[in-house]
Amino acid sequence: MPVTHPDTTTPVVSVNGRSTLQVNNLRFAYPDGQQALQGVSLHIAAGEKVALVGPNGAGKSTLMLHLNGLLHGEGEIEVAGLPVVKANFPVIRAKVGMVFQNPDDQLFSPTVFEDVAFGPLHMGYPEAEVRERVAWALTAVGMAEHGDRLSHHLSIGQKKRVAIATVLAMNPEILVLDEPSAGLDPRGRRQLINLLRDLPLTMLVSTHDMLLVQELFPRTVIMDEGQIVADGATAVLLHDATLLEAHGLEGASGNP
């Protein structure tokens, strides 16, 4: 069943073929001349959960930072049919729920409640709705009883959950995560996997954790040297030893 946000009767996401993300021929070079993206095109339908994998320097993070306008290259990007251009940034940044690898980059308020409330407050929602959104988001990530906690006193796994809650409170169209399982112990990793499995959101997740990919993502996109070199069913790609070895990746078994 779809999860319904408390301020609307519209499901957060539905799998109906509607495009959530469309990237067409995206190119980007850093000021030092490094060509980080070389004609990347990617389509993600509503409800899809997609893994983004590749060696360090492949362009994964650069691609993700384009999705809400933090970087701007040549090409076209649309989120839920809305072009990612400067005039649309306030709306786009609510639609693209970006969760960084280090949760301390996102948690800067004294308490968990204040961290999760920051986005809705910044968007100008009234206090009653902000409180409703915070309660809903913390419940969704299993942190409903932690609103008064000091964010910097939480475990790394709890911080990652709260970081996800900060973007859920904005009712995003797509959840974009960078290395979500990095630094987690086995219990925290299992809790994260269960959380991501249960969230009925479109997802694009960059990770080196190939077991996570195998368990959670029906579709995998492989990047290398600024290009998408493979895009298909995870079960097929993760058992193509020649493909994985060519791009510095390990199979689901942990072997190239």
Side-chain angles (χ1 to χ4, degrees):
M1 294 295 291
V3 171
T4 301
H5 194 278
D7 70 341
T8 177
T9 58
T10 304
V12 171
V13 71
S14 60
V15 183
N16 56 14
R18 176 175 61 84
S19 176
T20 291
L21 176 67
Q22 183 73 51
V23 180
N24 294 316
N25 197 29
L26 182 62
R27 298 178 178 274
F28 179 79
Y30 285 101
D32 64 1
Q34 177 196 356
Q35 192 70 39
L37 298 176
Q38 304 188 58
V40 170
S41 295
L42 177 66
H43 171 271
I44 297 179
E48 280 196 287
K49 294 185 178 182
V50 181
L52 181 64
V53 303
N56 291 334
K60 304 184 300 296
S61 295
T62 301
L63 170 61
M64 292 167 66
L65 291 173
H66 276 77
L67 303 185
N68 63 0
L70 292 178
L71 291 177
H72 182 70
E74 299 177 359
E76 298 178 345
I77 307 174
E78 291 186 355
V79 176
L82 191 65
V84 180
V85 295
K86 187 174 182 179
N88 293 334
F89 283 174
V91 177
I92 290 293
R93 288 171 180 169
K95 290 182 176 293
V96 179
M98 187 80 70
V99 181
F100 299 105
Q101 178 176 342
N102 184 354
D104 289 329
D105 292 338
Q106 268 173 279
L107 306 179
F108 46 81
S109 300
T111 68
V112 167
F113 178 93
E114 290 169 288
D115 270 319
V116 181
F118 179 84
L121 282 171
H122 185 69
M123 293 293 290
Y125 292 109
E127 180 181 352
E129 182 172 342
V130 170
R131 291 186 175 278
E132 191 174 17
R133 283 172 174 256
V134 171
W136 175 82
L138 288 176
T139 298
V141 301
M143 294 290 287
E145 305 303 318
H146 297 266
D148 294 331
R149 293 278 305 275
L150 302 179
S151 297
H152 66 276
H153 285 174
L154 300 175
S155 70
I156 182 67
Q158 290 173 323
K159 287 180 179 180
K160 292 205 173 195
R161 285 173 167 263
V162 174
I164 293 172
T166 65
V167 299
L168 290 183
M170 301 298 291
N171 194 23
E173 288 276 347
I174 182 170
L175 194 59
V176 179
L177 299 100
D178 188 10
E179 296 292 348
S181 63
L184 296 180
D185 62 22
R187 176 180 292 179
R189 183 177 176 278
R190 174 50 50 191
Q191 290 173 338
L192 175 76
I193 288 173
N194 292 339
L195 169 61
L196 296 183
R197 178 186 290 114
D198 292 343
L199 284 175
L201 277 168
T202 309
M203 291 183 193
L204 178 64
V205 178
S206 174
T207 183
H208 287 99
D209 185 342
M210 303 305 280
L211 291 174
L212 175 76
V213 172
Q214 182 184 41
E215 187 165 352
L216 278 184
F217 301 103
R219 175 183 169 195
T220 294
V221 173
I222 301 176
M223 287 189 69
D224 200 358
E225 296 183 350
Q227 299 176 324
I228 291 177
V229 297
D231 181 349
T234 298
V236 174
L237 295 186
L238 292 198
H239 289 88
D240 187 334
T242 301
L243 173 69
L244 296 177
E245 184 176 1
H247 300 289
L249 297 170
E250 294 183 340
S253 65
N255 297 314

